[in-house]
Amino acid sequence: MLDQQRVRDDTPGCLDKVFLDSAGSSLPPRPVLDAMVSHLRREAEIGGYRAAAERADDLAAVKSSVAELLGAQPEDVALVESATRAWADFFYAVPLSAGDRILVTEVEYASNAIAALQRARVTGATVEVVPSTPTGELDLEALHRMLDERVRVVSVVHAPTNGGLLNPVREVVDLAHAVGSLVLLDACQSIGQVAVDVADLGVDALSATGRKWLRGPRGTGLLYLRPELARTMEPAALDLHGAQWAEEHGYRLAPDASRFEFWECSVASRLGLGAAVRYLLDLGIDEIEQAVSARAEYARTELAAVPGVTVRDLGGQRSGIVSFTVDGVDPNVVRVSLADKDVTVTVSGRGSTFLDMTRRKLDGVVRASPHYFNSFEDVDRLVAAVAAR
């Protein structure tokens, strides 16, 4: 069981108000703030280079912690500036030519979809959408029918940004690998709230952010690559960290996933990410998953009982994202009304998940995302505020 008082004491921002936007940018615990501020102070004392050199072992430990969380090896992890950067770095490194096929899901995130459409335009490849089942998940039978040897990459969103379902991953991997396709998993909304083991899932690459369910700082992200790819794939962009200028007209790639990293980064933010992942590991991902699920399901049940409120979440297996609408009220008006009552939620608009929202005839949904530091009383305050709109 989680020590609820401890995690709330470590999260001052949740003590006098209700924060329900961990799917956007969560509240970091005190150890994350302490790690970042202390390093910034050290940079001010001795300069960034010396301060970073002092923390070389701690910086290496960040990858070790991330790898432990993912069930991977540190050399198969690249630390980057965002989930979008991680996803794009892998995707733009996949060779594509005319006639190749890119498969995406109906809940594809806008940034991923735009990148796929751009590359299709440039290379002559095509982007095709795998339909969803009536309950919202990727349709495995439809995927099976669509797959052939021309499919180069299948992009799977683990947990959509606009609603609380979880897509099947291992089944997608097995089908895609049977025709030689790569599988790129967008785990931006799942890492930190559910257990994600890359060995069990079998994905070729995984992208995630630090600022959401991991409770790390903004400007941090991670990319996992299957070991063979971490050692053979060439990024679309390189610098003197991802490669060495070994001769006048040649270079030598880094021997592992660090070839996908650039030399410059926010050291304080990277240390903050390490502190966030270590905090999560110390609590235990299984305990966190149970706590998040319990709060999200409670929120769905209570919101659904409010007249005029429709819970919009689909899926047989659900995440901690709770999406809903209020009859006749713009979601942004609901968000502002709740903010006035010190309840923080956000709105997921059609532009973020265009295909899914269009299919369901939704312009936007209110999105509440309770984390383990939230109490059930927080959820009660959300429901009361919605009912009193």
Side-chain angles (χ1 to χ4, degrees), residues 26-42:
S26 192
L27 301 176
R30 288 187 190 276
V32 173
L33 182 63
D34 291 345
M36 297 178 68
V37 171
S38 65
H39 187 75
L40 290 173
R41 292 187 184 282
R42 189 60 173 158

Side-chain angles (χ1 to χ4, degrees), residues 90 143 152-156 169-170 172-177 180-186 201-206 224 226 229:
F90 179 84
L143 172 65
R152 294 291 174 257
V153 59
V154 179
S155 172
V156 181
V169 178
R170 182 74 227 194
V172 172
V173 169
D174 290 341
L175 290 171
H177 283 179
S181 173
L182 298 171
V183 177
L184 170 54
L185 182 66
D186 179 342
L201 297 177
V203 295
D204 298 288
L206 173 153
Y224 158 81
R226 182 164 50 84
L229 296 177

Side-chain angles (χ1 to χ4, degrees), residues 27 192 285 295 348 361:
L27 301 176
I285 186 60
R295 286 150 178 77
S348 185
K361 298 180 173 60

Side-chain angles (χ1 to χ4, degrees), residues 291-310:
V292 172
S293 177
R295 286 150 178 77
E297 288 302 326
Y298 180 66
R300 293 183 183 106
T301 300
E302 296 301 308
L303 284 167
V306 177
V309 172
T310 302

Side-chain angles (χ1 to χ4, degrees), residues 355-384:
L355 296 176
D356 177 64
M357 297 285 270
T358 300
R359 176 177 65 87
R360 293 199 280 156
K361 298 180 173 60
L362 294 170
D363 289 323
V365 294
V366 184
R367 188 182 71 186
S369 44
H371 214 330
Y372 62 85
F373 58 77
N374 289 114
S375 64
F376 287 95
E377 290 75 14
D378 287 344
V379 177
D380 289 336
R381 285 183 60 185
L382 163 70
V383 175

Side-chain angles (χ1 to χ4, degrees), residues 199-218:
D200 289 343
L201 297 177
V203 295
D204 298 288
L206 173 153
S207 61
T209 186
R211 75 174 191 270
K212 296 182 185 289
W213 301 92
L214 285 176
R215 303 183 64 197
R218 297 194 69 175

Side-chain angles (χ1 to χ4, degrees), residues 122-140:
V122 171
T123 64
T126 60
V127 177
E128 300 170 42
V129 180
V130 182
S132 300
T133 67
T135 53
E137 299 94 342
L138 177 149
D139 188 326
L140 293 170

